[in-house]
Amino acid sequence: KSGQPMGVAFIVYKTAEGVDNALSFDGDDYHGRPLNVKLSDPPAKDAKRRPSQNGKAKGKGKGKTKGKGKTKGKGKGKGKGKAEGIADTE
């Protein structure tokens, strides 16, 4: 491994001729890197991709959000400056 990312692709072909043509590229050099082309069996339709807990998928969904809350932090009031009604004594 040279530290470069390994590109992976799964391609569905319409014809067996297309599959055979793609398989013929196995071992060929592509921009200095060898191609590895293999035939893969599709997953079973009833097979789960990833096991989940309690039937719920993990992910970003609704819930607690990160960032500023609506009640915390400084408000959008007046900035620093002279208070109203106080005269300048200089």
Side-chain angles (χ1 to χ4, degrees):
K1 309 255 177 184
S2 64
Q4 293 180 342
M6 180 176 62
V8 178
F10 290 91
I11 302 170
V12 178
Y13 290 92
K14 292 182 180 182
T15 65
E17 182 182 332
V19 173
D20 293 337
N21 190 26
L23 289 171
S24 71
F25 289 105
D26 186 40
D28 285 0
D29 183 67
Y30 184 74
H31 294 282
R33 299 191 62 190
L35 289 176
N36 294 313
V37 183
K38 299 175 185 175
L39 189 60
S40 174
D41 292 325
K45 288 186 179 185
D46 60 345
K48 290 185 180 181
R49 296 180 86 183
R50 292 183 184 161
S52 63
Q53 295 176 353
N54 301 329
K56 294 182 180 179
K58 291 183 178 182
K60 283 189 173 179
K62 293 183 179 181
K64 292 184 179 181
T65 60
K66 293 183 179 179
K68 283 188 175 181
K70 291 185 179 180
T71 59
K72 293 183 181 179
K74 295 182 180 180
K76 291 187 178 182
K78 293 183 179 180
K80 290 183 180 179
K82 294 181 183 177
E84 268 187 57
I86 299 177
D88 192 6
T89 58
E90 291 182 35

